[in-house]
């Protein structure tokens, strides 16, 4: 059984949602229902499940219904139709008391605009969830302090939210959700209001905390890069409908439809892909056994005008051009003496972005070295195709 | 064709034949209750040495509103004493305190209800408009019939006139609490009561206090009108100034009301800002 199981969850905003539901069942689109009845379909028959310990990212542009969807999970918004199973309990059927109990014990939430209580100190904010459960002061403050320490805000307990920066305020928001010791964390665009650097820092910290806490996280975002970074699995929403669910790789490699692929097009591949993704394993010369003759033969076979030369441990010795090889053959000199070294080198984990400049001003391929050993070469063509197509299947491991 | 709406006759029949005989007893007891409180408070305020009240007011204004207002308070209290209107001022203050307390006790909960329920909000709004715009003389008459002459009908009519800002501002204050904050409170499993007491009221306290401040100011502005039905205090000084064409007496009483208004306004505003 999954931690969270969502079945055909639907929300229609408007005066007579039942009628909207009928129209949905006649498979009318969101736009048709809007023009026919004036009602808005917030979430359209969303079904998915989230496993324990998973970070499940729901991604979509504004108006796609993702914020509505996450609020249906803890019934901040009541669904029109569908079920939400949390640990075998269908919370859409829960009474008010049961719902409050589930929210207290099982569902923590972090908000885009933080949602902190401005008249409470950091400590009192973090302890809020425990306070309303009736836990005594010393016990709840102890737990709150622990949570504050976990998010790295020790020493700020007595501050008020408006004395803290945005990033710190969101740490308070996170600590407040952690203090309740719920299994599930709902994060509604939790990092979207932060500036990019702080945002990355918070993403890293969330991943780090997650390895320690192993919570079940439902994370809403409009940013695909964030989704790819955080999500074990990602659901992409459009017009209230989930159009695809899959791992980052699945979504990048086989977008379910045009909408997803347009989304994926926007991913900055130059940051995601590294040299090791696009490098090729070149035919090389072994300096010990091969002479200029073999070199010329190999270059002819490969149809290239230069070849890299390595020693027995594949340490790179240099580059041999076909002209130099023929020269050396004619003059009978050793191959070593005619090697050139005016090519660029890089490491396997360098992003393609950083290779573009080098690729422009050299006529030779860039060599990818790992501790001096030749791992592969990157040609200008493969950088361009990597950027444009992201064809990871062309690369060899 | 001439259509005549006998509203006048209906009202009179309603008041004389039904309202007074049926609920007169109840209003009589209510009237006695309010009267006891108003008179007790008036006697207490007059019994307190003026010097003590002055010192307390100066301390309060110093703490809440700054030096300038503290100096003004000193001058104002000296003025009230030197024109021999101190007891009248205390009577007015007593009526205002009781009326304001009633307004807050009824107004704030009503405002909370209105903020929670669109139905109640829609019902209450025209009633509040009615209370604020209906010329107060109109309900002075039934107030006399029900409560007799004196301080009690003054308290009741002041209450009617001065309650709307408390209701409106409480309603507004609670509606203005940002959704992310109420959502956060809800998401962590607050009951409606917990959300109201721990989040919504603290968040809207400043707005509510602004409403209470307005209620007090309106109550003061009713002082003269209420004196027409026999309310004692600065209002009746002004009224006798008007009826005797005694400009000097009218001005001394009127200035007394202004002095009270400024001191009370700054103190209650100061409380609102401190929250």
């Amino acid at each position: 059984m999954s931690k969270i199981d969502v079945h055909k969850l639907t929300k229609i905003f408007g005066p007579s949602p039942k009628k909207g539901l009928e129209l949905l069942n006649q498979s009318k689109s969101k736009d048709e229902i809007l023009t026919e009845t004036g009602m808005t379909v917030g979430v359209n028959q969303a079904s998915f499940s989230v496993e324990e310990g998973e970070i499940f990212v729901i991604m979509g542009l504004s108006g796609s219904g993702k914020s509505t969807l996450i609020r249906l999970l803890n019934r901040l918004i009541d669904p029109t139709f569908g079920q939400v199973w949390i640990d075998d309990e269908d919370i859409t059927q829960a009474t008010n008391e049961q719902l409050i109990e589930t929210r207290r014990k099982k569902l923590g939430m972090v908000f885009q605009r933080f949602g902190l209580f401005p008249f409470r100190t950091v400590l009192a904010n973090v302890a809020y969830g425990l306070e309303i459960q009736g836990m005594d002061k010393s016990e709840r403050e102890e737990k709150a302090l622990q949570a504050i320490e976990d998010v790295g805000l020790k020493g700020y307990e007595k501050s008020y939210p408006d004395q803290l920066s945005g990033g710190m305020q969101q740490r308070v928001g996170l600590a407040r959700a952690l203090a309740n010791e719920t299994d599930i964390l709902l994060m509604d665009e939790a990092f979207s209001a932060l500036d990019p650097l702080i945002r990355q820092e918070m993403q890293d910290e969330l991943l780090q905390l997650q390895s320690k806490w192993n919570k079940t996280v439902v994370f809403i975002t409009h940013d695909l890069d964030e989704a790819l970074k955080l999500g074990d699995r990602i659901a992409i929403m459009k017009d209230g409908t989930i159009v695809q669910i899959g791992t980052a790789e699945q979504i990048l490699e086989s977008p379910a439809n045009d909408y997803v692929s347009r989304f994926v097009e926007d991913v900055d591949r130059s940051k995601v892909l590294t040299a090791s993704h696009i490098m090729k394993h070149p035919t090389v010369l072994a300096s010990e056994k091969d002479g200029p003759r073999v070199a010329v033969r190999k270059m002819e076979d490969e149809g290239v005008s230069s070849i890299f030369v390595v020693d027995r441990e594949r340490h790179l010795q240099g580059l041999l051009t076909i002209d130099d090889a023929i020269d050396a053959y004619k003059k009978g000199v050793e191959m070593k003496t005619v090697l050139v070294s005016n090519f660029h080198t890089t490491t396997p984990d360098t992003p393609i972005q950083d290779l573009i400049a080098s690729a422009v001003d050299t006529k030779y391929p860039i060599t990818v070295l790992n501790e001096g050993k030749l791992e592969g070469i990157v040609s200008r063509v493969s950088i361009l195709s990597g950027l444009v197509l992201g064809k990871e299947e062309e690369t060899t491991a | 064709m001439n259509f005549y709406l006998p509203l006048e006759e209906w009202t009179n029949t309603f008041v004389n034949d039904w309202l007074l005989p049926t609920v007169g007893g109840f209003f009589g007891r209510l009237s006695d209750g309010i009267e006891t409180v108003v008179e007790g408070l008036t006697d207490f305020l007059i019994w307190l040495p003026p010097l003590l009240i002055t010192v307390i007011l100066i301390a309060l204004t110093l703490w809440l509103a700054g030096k300038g207002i503290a100096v003004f308070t000193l001058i104002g209290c000296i003025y009230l004493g030197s024109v021999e209107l101190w007891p009248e001022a205390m009577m007015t203050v007593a009526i205002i305190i009781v009326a304001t307390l009633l307004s807050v006790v009824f107004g704030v909960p009503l405002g909370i209800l209105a903020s929670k329920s669109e139905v109640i909000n829609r019902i209450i709004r025209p009633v509040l408009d009615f209370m604020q715009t209906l010329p107060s003389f109109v309900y002075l008459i039934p107030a006399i019939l029900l409560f007799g002459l004196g301080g009690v009908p003054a308290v009741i009519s002041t209450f009617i006139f001065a309650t709307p800002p408390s209701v409106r501002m409480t309603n507004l204050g609670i509606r203005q609490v940002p959704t992310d904050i109420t959502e956060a409170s809800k998401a962590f499993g607050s009951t409606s009561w917990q959300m109201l007491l721990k989040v919504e009221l603290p968040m809207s306290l400043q707005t509510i206090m602004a409403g209470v401040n307005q209620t007090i100011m309106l109550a003061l502005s009713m002082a003269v009108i209420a004196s027409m039905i026999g309310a004692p205090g600065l209002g009746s000084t002004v009224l006798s100034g008007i009826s005797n064409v005694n400009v000097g007496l009218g001005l001394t009483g009127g200035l007394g009301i202004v002095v009270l208004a400024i001191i009370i306004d700054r103190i209650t505003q100061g409380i609102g800002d401190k929250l």
Side-chain angles (χ1 to χ4, degrees):
Chain A
M1 184 82 193
S2 310
K3 192 77 185 167
I4 306 174
D5 231 322
V6 174
H7 183 64
K8 287 207 158 185
L9 196 57
T10 303
K11 177 67 189 180
I12 297 166
F13 295 102
S16 55
K18 287 275 171 289
K19 186 162 176 255
L21 202 59
E22 271 172 40
L23 293 173
L24 269 189
N25 287 334
Q26 296 161 21
S27 48
K28 301 243 176 176
S29 76
K30 177 177 173 161
D31 287 338
E32 283 170 338
I33 293 177
L34 184 67
T35 43
E36 254 178 64
T37 67
M39 290 189 290
T40 308
V41 179
V43 174
N44 183 359
Q45 301 170 73
S47 298
F48 60 88
S49 56
V50 185
E51 303 305 321
E52 188 155 7
E54 184 180 34
I55 299 185
F56 187 80
V57 175
I58 299 170
M59 200 209 63
L61 299 176
S62 54
S64 61
K66 57 193 191 302
S67 283
T68 306
L69 178 56
I70 201 170
R71 279 166 177 72
L72 294 175
L73 298 184
N74 61 356
R75 271 181 60 187
L76 284 179
I77 297 175
D78 274 314
T80 309
F81 179 79
Q83 292 101 46
V84 179
W85 297 88
I86 291 172
D87 287 338
D88 300 338
E89 186 204 1
D90 180 4
I91 73 147
T92 60
Q93 300 302 319
T95 63
N96 201 30
E97 288 73 28
Q98 287 168 338
L99 180 62
I100 284 175
E101 196 57 21
T102 306
R103 284 173 179 165
R104 286 178 176 178
K105 302 290 185 202
K106 291 182 180 167
L107 301 164
M109 191 161 181
V110 183
F111 294 84
Q112 179 176 12
R113 297 249 141 237
F114 320 139
L116 300 178
F117 309 122
F119 52 92
R120 284 173 167 250
T121 61
V122 168
L123 185 65
N125 260 293
V126 175
Y128 180 83
L130 302 169
E131 181 183 325
I132 57 173
Q133 293 179 30
M135 188 182 281
D136 17 291
K137 201 170 165 95
S138 56
E139 198 183 343
R140 69 177 189 243
E141 290 194 340
E142 191 184 319
K143 290 195 178 202
L145 278 174
Q146 183 58 49
I148 290 170
E149 203 180 323
D150 284 338
V151 299
L153 276 185
K154 203 177 176 193
Y156 289 97
E157 304 88 47
K158 299 273 177 283
S159 306
Y160 284 88
D162 61 1
Q163 297 169 317
L164 304 178
S165 68
M168 286 159 94
Q169 289 189 34
Q170 193 54 299
R171 281 165 201 264
V172 178
L174 190 57
R176 182 173 59 180
L178 291 176
N180 268 28
E181 294 175 342
T182 55
D183 292 344
I184 297 170
L185 266 187
L186 304 176
M187 304 185 76
D188 178 27
E189 301 230 22
F191 304 148
S192 300
L194 306 175
D195 52 50
L197 273 181
I198 306 289
R199 189 169 175 176
Q200 284 191 7
E201 203 180 299
M202 293 292 286
Q203 291 165 353
D204 293 337
E205 267 196 50
L206 178 70
L207 290 173
Q208 204 186 324
L209 279 174
Q210 172 64 2
S211 63
K212 178 176 159 194
W213 290 85
N214 203 34
K215 304 242 180 215
T216 306
V217 181
V218 178
F219 194 103
I220 301 285
T221 183
H222 59 254
D223 176 359
L224 187 58
D225 287 330
E226 186 166 72
L228 295 174
K229 180 170 177 180
L230 296 177
D232 293 319
R233 281 187 308 144
I234 299 163
I236 295 185
M237 275 189 94
K238 188 202 176 206
D239 293 342
T241 313
I242 292 183
V243 288
Q244 186 173 12
I245 299 180
T247 61
E249 287 78 10
Q250 287 166 350
I251 283 177
L252 280 178
E253 278 172 20
S254 45
N257 59 20
D258 282 356
Y259 180 75
V260 180
S261 51
R262 269 210 307 284
F263 236 125
V264 173
E265 267 172 24
D266 291 340
V267 181
D268 195 345
R269 294 183 177 284
S270 63
K271 282 184 202 155
V272 179
L273 297 180
T274 62
S276 64
H277 285 111
I278 53 165
M279 68 187 183
K280 288 177 181 171
H281 283 262
T283 313
V284 291
L285 275 181
S287 56
E288 280 77 21
K289 54 180 171 63
D290 299 336
R293 246 185 107 126
V294 182
V296 174
R297 170 75 45 78
K298 278 195 177 177
M299 278 186 259
E300 268 179 346
D301 289 350
E302 296 287 319
V304 294
S305 59
S306 62
I307 193 162
F308 287 98
V309 182
V310 296
D311 67 11
R312 203 170 298 164
E313 275 82 41
R314 274 185 89 85
H315 283 110
L316 184 63
Q317 302 291 303
L319 182 70
L320 181 66
T321 64
I322 188 136
D323 298 336
D324 291 341
I326 292 170
D327 251 19
Y329 175 62
K330 282 180 181 161
K331 291 176 186 163
V333 295
E334 268 199 71
M335 208 167 63
K336 263 186 217 164
T337 56
V338 295
L339 294 182
V340 295
S341 58
N342 56 341
F343 50 84
H344 290 281
T345 61
T346 186
T347 54
D349 50 4
T350 308
I352 310 185
Q353 194 181 24
D354 300 348
L355 297 178
I356 296 171
S358 321
V360 172
D361 66 70
T362 177
K363 52 182 174 176
Y364 305 121
I366 299 168
T367 56
V368 181
L369 296 184
N370 191 5
E371 291 167 5
K373 289 182 188 172
L374 183 64
E375 293 260 304
I377 60 168
V378 176
S379 63
R380 230 190 296 198
V381 173
S382 44
I383 291 178
L384 290 175
S385 71
L387 286 176
V388 175
L389 306 165
K391 284 193 174 168
E392 281 148 282
E393 64 269 16
E394 276 192 5
T395 67
T396 37
Chain B
M1 168 118 184
N2 210 346
F3 176 73
Y4 173 68
L5 177 70
L7 184 61
E8 182 187 335
E9 286 81 359
W10 287 348
T11 312
N12 288 338
T13 313
F14 169 75
V15 171
N16 293 320
D17 296 352
W18 184 81
L19 191 65
L20 291 180
T22 323
V23 292
F26 167 73
F27 278 101
R29 283 192 295 281
L30 183 65
S31 172
D32 290 346
I34 296 174
E35 194 170 0
T36 318
V37 175
V38 173
E39 281 182 357
L41 188 60
T42 311
D43 291 346
F44 175 70
L45 287 174
I46 294 177
W47 171 80
L48 283 178
L51 190 62
L52 179 66
I53 293 180
T54 307
V55 169
I56 292 174
L57 285 180
I58 288 175
L60 274 176
T61 44
L62 255 187
W63 177 46
L64 294 166
K67 275 184 208 144
I69 294 302
V71 171
F72 176 85
T73 305
L74 177 66
I75 297 170
C77 288
I78 293 173
Y79 166 78
L80 286 173
S82 53
V83 295
E84 296 182 336
L85 284 176
W86 188 266
E88 281 79 359
M90 291 304 113
M91 289 171 200
T92 299
V93 169
I95 289 176
I96 288 167
I97 289 177
V98 176
T100 304
L101 280 180
L102 278 177
S103 292
V104 171
V105 165
F106 283 92
V108 171
L110 214 54
I112 293 172
L113 282 178
S115 73
K116 295 285 170 192
S117 154
E118 222 27 69
V119 176
I120 294 181
N121 188 32
R122 242 176 276 152
I123 296 171
I124 277 181
R125 251 169 69 184
V127 175
L128 293 180
D129 293 338
F130 193 76
M131 286 162 74
Q132 272 188 309
T133 52
L134 192 71
S136 33
F137 296 100
V138 175
Y139 49 82
L140 286 182
I141 306 160
I144 296 172
L145 291 176
L146 289 168
F147 300 102
L149 288 170
V152 179
V155 166
I156 298 297
S157 42
T158 304
F159 161 73
I160 292 174
F161 183 64
T163 302
S166 285
V167 183
R168 286 189 209 273
M169 295 297 263
T170 303
N171 185 3
L172 177 73
I174 290 182
R175 281 172 190 269
Q176 273 181 344
V177 176
T179 25
D180 59 331
I181 288 177
T182 52
E183 273 191 337
S185 168
K186 242 196 221 172
F188 284 97
S190 304
T191 62
S192 317
W193 271 113
Q194 284 173 330
M195 184 153 104
L196 181 67
L197 295 178
K198 287 179 188 286
V199 177
E200 289 174 317
L201 283 181
M203 285 292 290
S204 48
L205 215 49
Q206 279 200 353
T207 315
I208 295 175
M209 272 311 292
V212 172
N213 173 273
Q214 283 308 299
T215 289
I216 297 175
M217 292 299 106
L218 287 183
L220 263 170
S221 72
M222 271 292 278
V224 176
I225 296 166
S227 69
M228 291 180 155
I229 51 172
L234 291 172
S236 65
T237 309
V238 174
L239 190 66
S240 67
I242 294 170
S243 48
N244 299 325
V245 205
N246 184 340
V247 183
L249 187 63
L251 181 68
T252 39
L255 278 182
I257 292 177
V258 172
V259 167
L260 284 186
I262 291 178
I263 296 173
I264 296 175
D265 177 59
R266 296 305 188 276
I267 288 177
T268 49
Q269 261 186 23
I271 294 173
D273 293 344
K274 285 273 176 203
L275 292 172

